[in-house]
Amino acid sequence: MTRVVDPSLRMLFDQMPGLWGCKDENSVFMYANPAYAKAVGVKQHQDMIGSTDFDTPCDTAACAGLFQAQDKEVMVSTKPLKILDIHPFAGGEWCAYLFTKTPLIQQGEIIGTIFHGMDITSARTLELGSLLGRIRAGAGREGQVSYLVGDQAGSVDLSPREAEVLFFLIRGKRVKDIAVLLDLSPRTIEQHVATLRHKFSATSQYELIDQAINSGYLDYIPERLFKQQMSVIVR
């Protein structure tokens, strides 16, 4: 049975700008505002109640498992998460949203999560570059950073897929995490890493990352990532 949302909370969700809603402890929608329903292709926002991310009619359903894992992390840690979501939303339109998920607390008990999505698609190069750069980088830096979109940063010739793998390696992602993000097998990612080590003449993965950063790849975002569906925690 779906939990009932306090009417004042529903009113707040409907009045605030952006995509708002909440889910119970099993990631079942307790409520979603009209803006969220429209974004995922549901005509009546009340129809979201009792459904899950697996039930959404747009391609975000392909990442439903990731969404539910994020919800669980919020509830277990009791801390909010910031998540970059890039997906084909309603009508197949690719959009980028920055979601914040926080614990939903009732009478001192965590009973689910509240989510808020902010559309950053209109300024995708500036905003997406900034957000992706905040995913932990091996040689973290402070201050403002200018990002370039492309696959090449220097003389090393990389395929688009190699550039994507390298992008996430530099930011501390493990092979199995990259495999999930790029929808490939861990074995395929390992093969790309081996090829990257050869191209950079690196004797280890750590040396590969160091050389890639020194070559300028920390400041590059592979072009295909703008059309790669993902849900990445940026905290």
Side-chain angles (χ1 to χ4, degrees), residues 116-169:
H116 168 229
M118 179 176 62
D119 188 354
I120 61 172
T121 309
S122 60
R124 70 175 196 171
T125 301
L126 175 63
E127 296 288 352
L128 187 57
S130 175
L131 289 166
L132 286 174
R134 285 164 53 190
I135 301 172
R136 179 172 175 77
R141 301 183 305 181
E142 300 295 332
Q144 299 184 59
V145 180
S146 176
Y147 288 86
L148 298 176
V149 178
D151 298 323
Q152 307 304 325
S155 59
V156 180
D157 184 20
L158 302 183
S159 70
R161 186 64 81 190
E162 289 165 357
E164 292 167 3
V165 171
L166 183 60
F167 176 86
F168 288 113
L169 277 179

Side-chain angles (χ1 to χ4, degrees), residues 176-196:
K176 67 177 184 179
D177 297 326
I178 299 173
V180 172
L181 289 167
L182 298 182
D183 194 24
L184 298 170
S185 71
R187 177 58 181 162
T188 298
I189 300 301
E190 289 172 351
Q191 291 172 343
H192 284 307
V193 173
T195 301
L196 286 166

Side-chain angles (χ1 to χ4, degrees), residues 40 52-67 87-88 229:
V40 298
T52 72
D53 291 299
F54 286 101
D55 302 317
T56 52
C58 67
D59 287 343
T60 60
C63 292
L66 284 174
F67 301 157
H87 309 280
Q229 197 171 176

Side-chain angles (χ1 to χ4, degrees), residues 8-57:
S8 61
L9 188 59
R10 293 201 305 267
M11 185 178 299
L12 180 64
F13 289 159
D14 290 345
Q15 292 176 346
M16 295 290 287
L19 314 186
W20 286 88
C22 57
K23 303 177 191 175
D24 68 14
E25 64 273 22
N26 296 312
S27 291
V28 175
F29 283 98
M30 299 167 61
Y31 190 76
N33 70 352
Y36 184 85
K38 181 179 180 180
V40 298
V42 175
K43 291 184 179 180
Q44 299 296 328
H45 68 103
Q46 294 92 341
D47 292 340
M48 298 291 302
I49 299 173
S51 68
T52 72
D53 291 299
F54 286 101
D55 302 317
T56 52

Side-chain angles (χ1 to χ4, degrees), residues 62-76:
C63 292
L66 284 174
F67 301 157
Q68 294 189 356
Q70 294 158 3
D71 295 340
K72 184 176 181 180
E73 181 173 344
V74 169
M75 290 183 285
V76 171

Side-chain angles (χ1 to χ4, degrees), residues 99-111:
F99 273 91
T100 301
K101 296 186 175 184
T102 57
L104 173 59
I105 302 174
Q106 181 176 294
Q107 297 180 344
E109 176 188 1
I110 296 177
I111 63 168

